[in-house]
Amino acid sequence: MAEAERIIGTPDTPDAAGNGRERPDGAAAVGASGTDEPAAAGRPRGKRRIAVLFAVAAFAYALDLISKMIVVAKLEHHPPIEIIGDWLKFEAIRNAGAAFGFGEAFTVIFTMIAAAVIVVIARLARKLYSLPWAIALGLLLGGALGNLTDRIFRAPGVFEGAVVDFIAPKHFAVFNLADSAIVCGGILIVLLSFRGLDPDGTVHKD
């Protein structure tokens, strides 16, 4: 338990209902004291987590956007660039489907899903007190924004645009940095869930 507390920075204080979960800073203290001073102290901490989320999202989005601009300007309509022999190449591909080239016939649907993911993450951010969750959601948000930008602004049209992919490992689908951010964020969320850590900073005592 000490390790989990170190990761998310929450005290080992059971909630008033005794449901086997630790609670974020201020929530348990408010129940004990009947005042709102601890809650006021907890709000800046939540704001810092939100700032981390959007900082990670902005970094992932900017990195994806810049890489695609370079690929379109320097690599599209040119031979692939070998990075590690034929095991890893940079090759410009326009992908109308989902991540890694799946479902090219459902471009509009994938666009709507990406937009819904962004809305859900933005709403969840209001209850965010965990730093690892802030990083994970930031990666998801940045990746979703990166590919959604392509869907909206690239040919053949609004909400039907083809995503620019360029990382081409041997015997694997071509992808981009937005896809990588989404996958990394998803893996981190799975790991956090296995460890019992919730976005609001509570810890399951299993």
Side-chain angles (χ1 to χ4, degrees):
M1 180 52 62
E3 179 65 16
E5 293 168 14
R6 183 186 65 80
I7 293 175
I8 65 171
T10 57
D12 189 5
T13 305
D15 60 15
N19 60 3
R21 299 176 65 183
E22 296 173 10
R23 302 191 58 184
D25 288 351
V30 171
S33 64
T35 66
D36 59 358
E37 293 179 2
R43 282 194 292 268
R45 182 169 172 266
K47 291 180 179 179
R48 287 195 294 269
R49 300 297 184 259
I50 295 174
V52 170
L53 186 157
F54 286 110
V56 171
F59 178 77
Y61 176 70
L63 203 60
D64 178 69
L65 185 63
I66 293 171
S67 67
K68 289 174 179 175
M69 292 174 62
I70 295 173
V71 167
V72 171
K74 303 294 184 181
L75 190 57
E76 199 166 33
H77 308 304
H78 290 80
I81 298 176
E82 293 187 351
I83 305 301
I84 307 177
D86 61 348
W87 288 96
L88 179 63
K89 299 179 182 179
F90 284 168
E91 179 179 7
I93 299 292
R94 294 295 182 114
N95 172 24
F100 307 112
F102 298 110
E104 294 188 2
F106 304 99
T107 304
V108 175
I109 295 177
F110 292 133
T111 303
M112 295 173 62
I113 292 174
V117 168
I118 293 170
V119 172
V120 170
I121 293 174
R123 291 176 61 88
L124 185 60
R126 295 179 300 175
K127 299 180 180 179
L128 187 63
Y129 281 87
S130 168
L131 179 59
W133 269 94
I135 295 172
L137 293 176
L139 289 171
L140 282 179
L141 180 59
L145 284 172
N147 283 338
L148 183 61
T149 299
D150 283 358
R151 302 290 188 196
I152 295 175
F153 295 106
R154 296 194 187 276
V158 177
F159 301 122
E160 297 181 350
V163 173
V164 176
D165 291 334
F166 62 94
I167 304 173
K170 188 176 182 179
H171 305 310
F172 196 72
V174 184
F175 59 97
N176 56 43
L177 295 182
D179 297 332
S180 301
I182 292 171
V183 170
C184 291
I187 292 174
L188 183 54
I189 286 175
V190 171
L191 294 176
L192 293 173
S193 298
F194 272 118
R195 296 199 59 170
L197 306 181
D198 290 339
D200 63 358
T202 55
V203 182
H204 293 286
K205 294 180 179 180
D206 295 330

